[in-house]
Amino acid sequence: QLQLVESGGGLVQPGGSLRLSCAASGFTLRYYAIGWFRQAPGKDSEAISCISSSGGSTNYADSVKGRFTISRDNAKNTAYLHIKNLKPEDTAVYYCAADGLSHPTMCTRSRGHFGSWGQGTQVTVSS
């Protein structure tokens, strides 16, 4: 019933930019913190960013800090991940997830806080 759908992935050259979208259906996204995760084949899932339900707090993994920006538009029931200066090591399936546990003014990248997950969107960075 609670569904998230990612979109916006694709093939991009190093140094390029993408905007990933995370659209919610079946629930109101404004009540949830949102996280973005990524997983490359054969590797563990990496929690890369989160944003509080209020939108006032964000945090980022060191690997993406300064290049990735998380945002949300609650009127559109959608969250976003803006990526710039893409690198080959960014190649992964990117997932968004909804966190119903965190305080409205806070977020965490801890996996256990997230109960609803999207299907993922592939980002491939290659020359």
Side-chain angles (χ1 to χ4, degrees):
Q1 186 70 16
L2 307 181
Q3 295 186 348
L4 298 169
V5 178
E6 303 94 335
S7 62
L11 176 64
V12 64
Q13 292 188 335
S17 299
L18 286 172
R19 186 186 73 169
L20 308 184
S21 297
C22 173
S25 63
F27 66 106
T28 302
L29 196 61
R30 64 178 291 175
Y31 299 120
Y32 296 83
I34 297 297
W36 282 96
F37 300 76
R38 67 183 181 185
Q39 187 167 26
K43 296 188 176 182
D44 292 336
S45 177
E46 180 186 18
I48 57 175
S49 186
C50 68
I51 184 168
S52 62
S53 61
S54 70
S57 295
T58 61
N59 69 67
Y60 299 89
D62 289 342
S63 59
V64 305
K65 196 172 299 182
R67 298 188 299 114
F68 287 35
T69 302
I70 190 170
S71 64
R72 64 193 302 154
D73 186 341
N74 287 336
K76 296 181 178 179
N77 219 32
T78 302
Y80 304 95
L81 186 69
H82 301 259
I83 312 173
K84 64 180 181 181
N85 192 24
L86 279 156
K87 302 177 179 180
E89 52 264 43
D90 295 322
T91 296
V93 178
Y94 284 71
Y95 300 89
C96 67
D99 165 13
L101 299 177
S102 293
H103 190 277
T105 63
M106 300 178 66
C107 77
T108 177
R109 291 182 285 112
S110 296
R111 172 67 176 80
H113 279 236
F114 296 88
S116 298
W117 294 78
Q119 85 289 351
T121 185
Q122 176 72 48
V123 173
T124 302
V125 185
S126 179
S127 299

